[in-house]
Amino acid sequence: MLRLFETFLETAPQLTLVLAIMLQSGRAEYYQWVGICTSFLGISWALLDYHRALRTCLPSKPLLGLGSSVIYFLWNLLLLWPRVLAVALFSALFPSYVALHFLGLWLVLLLWVWLQGTDFMPDPSSEWLYRVTVATILYFSWFNVAEGRTRGRAIIHFAFLLSDSILLVATWVTHSSWLPSGIPLQLWLPVGCGCFFLGLALRLVYYHWLHPSCCWKPDPDQVDGARSLLSPEGYQLPQNRRMTHLAQKFFPKAKDEAASPVKG
């Protein structure tokens, strides 16, 4: 979780800043393109790594397979790129107003997180620090923070960010003459639009056919090796209490299953 927080509090804003500077100057070096691509890959990898870490804390939840991990990584990458590009375009045009834009959306997202009643931290001050950080993540990408079905909340967040990104791009279209012509923005926008729809399609494919819950059996075969030599009563998986608590919040249906004895 700390690595994920660092990614969205440091890497994502720096990536947006670099793109905005490139758009303002109208030129970029090759090593800057390499750094931008690496940053996008790192952010998407942090999301995948955190999701896999949550599942390892609950024995009742199946781990992501290779194919599911690849699709999960790709749809996060493809949906993140258009969002960062839209914010960078607005930052390049109106650098003095981007802080106001971020603050306005961040307050709305913070209110939304508060209304969901998160209770991950041991005291109120730490909980508000957590909410503040999560609101920053939601400015760029989806992040689940409450129990229950996530489909409705994910659709609301998706529609909110999509509407905001469309407004930012529309602002650039009406003021595109303000930026230098060295960067092929007329090519970037169609590519960004294509990446968005491709990422959306991959997300639907993941949740309909590749999610572990779609093909996992509740009573798997006995595992070969040293673990099979231990009795269910004498064996207990090593756990990190905080991560286990977060995992149970992320997967509320697994609470009772995780508390029951290990099967098989």
Side-chain angles (χ1 to χ4, degrees):
M1 173 169 279
L2 291 178
R3 186 181 298 114
L4 184 68
F5 285 175
E6 179 185 8
T7 298
F8 280 94
L9 293 177
E10 182 178 350
T11 306
Q14 288 180 355
L15 175 60
T16 306
L17 176 62
V18 170
L19 282 174
I21 294 175
M22 290 172 53
L23 292 171
Q24 286 181 334
S25 62
R27 62 181 185 275
E29 302 294 339
Y30 290 107
Y31 67 87
Q32 290 177 312
W33 290 113
V34 174
I36 289 173
C37 294
T38 303
S39 296
F40 275 115
L41 294 175
I43 296 173
S44 301
W45 176 260
L47 289 167
L48 172 62
D49 187 42
Y50 176 74
H51 189 66
R52 290 175 62 90
L54 283 177
R55 288 183 167 273
T56 60
C57 293
L58 291 178
S60 61
K61 303 302 294 185
L63 299 178
L64 289 179
L66 178 60
S68 300
S69 298
V70 170
I71 298 299
Y72 189 92
F73 175 83
L74 287 177
W75 72 253
N76 277 288
L77 176 64
L78 293 173
L79 291 180
L80 179 68
W81 149 249
R83 173 61 182 172
V84 173
L85 176 60
V87 176
L89 284 171
F90 184 80
S91 303
L93 288 173
F94 306 105
S96 57
Y97 292 102
V98 65
L100 184 62
H101 171 267
F102 169 79
L103 181 61
L105 263 68
W106 178 81
L107 289 175
V108 174
L109 294 170
L110 180 61
L111 175 63
W112 192 46
V113 173
W114 172 68
L115 291 176
Q116 296 182 61
T118 62
D119 59 347
F120 291 157
M121 296 301 173
D123 56 87
S125 58
S126 299
E127 188 64 34
W128 274 108
L129 180 61
Y130 171 78
R131 292 169 180 170
V132 165
T133 307
V134 167
T136 305
I137 297 177
L138 290 172
Y139 181 81
F140 294 98
S141 179
W142 162 251
F143 188 78
N144 185 36
V145 296
E147 299 182 22
R149 297 180 63 86
T150 61
R151 180 181 301 176
R153 295 195 300 271
I155 292 176
I156 293 174
H157 176 262
F158 176 79
F160 181 76
L161 284 193
L162 177 60
S163 301
D164 179 71
S165 299
I166 291 176
L167 290 176
L168 295 180
V169 173
T171 303
W172 172 82
V173 172
T174 57
H175 300 82
S176 58
S177 59
W178 291 14
L179 294 177
S181 58
I183 303 296
L185 293 177
Q186 288 75 13
L187 178 63
W188 278 20
L189 290 182
V191 171
C193 184
C195 289
F196 171 80
F197 286 106
L198 179 58
L200 181 60
L202 289 179
R203 183 172 183 175
L204 295 176
V205 168
Y206 172 82
Y207 281 108
H208 278 82
W209 292 289
L210 297 178
H211 194 274
S213 62
C214 298
C215 56
W216 184 65
K217 297 181 180 179
D219 294 320
D221 294 335
Q222 186 175 1
V223 178
D224 296 330
R227 184 181 298 181
S228 62
L229 302 178
L230 299 177
S231 63
E233 293 79 9
Y235 177 74
Q236 184 178 5
L237 290 174
Q239 292 184 349
N240 180 300
R241 292 184 178 181
R242 177 54 57 84
M243 285 299 295
T244 301
H245 180 60
L246 293 175
Q248 291 175 352
K249 289 292 184 180
F250 195 88
F251 303 108
K253 293 183 180 179
K255 286 184 178 179
D256 298 333
E257 298 175 7
S260 62
V262 180
K263 297 182 180 180

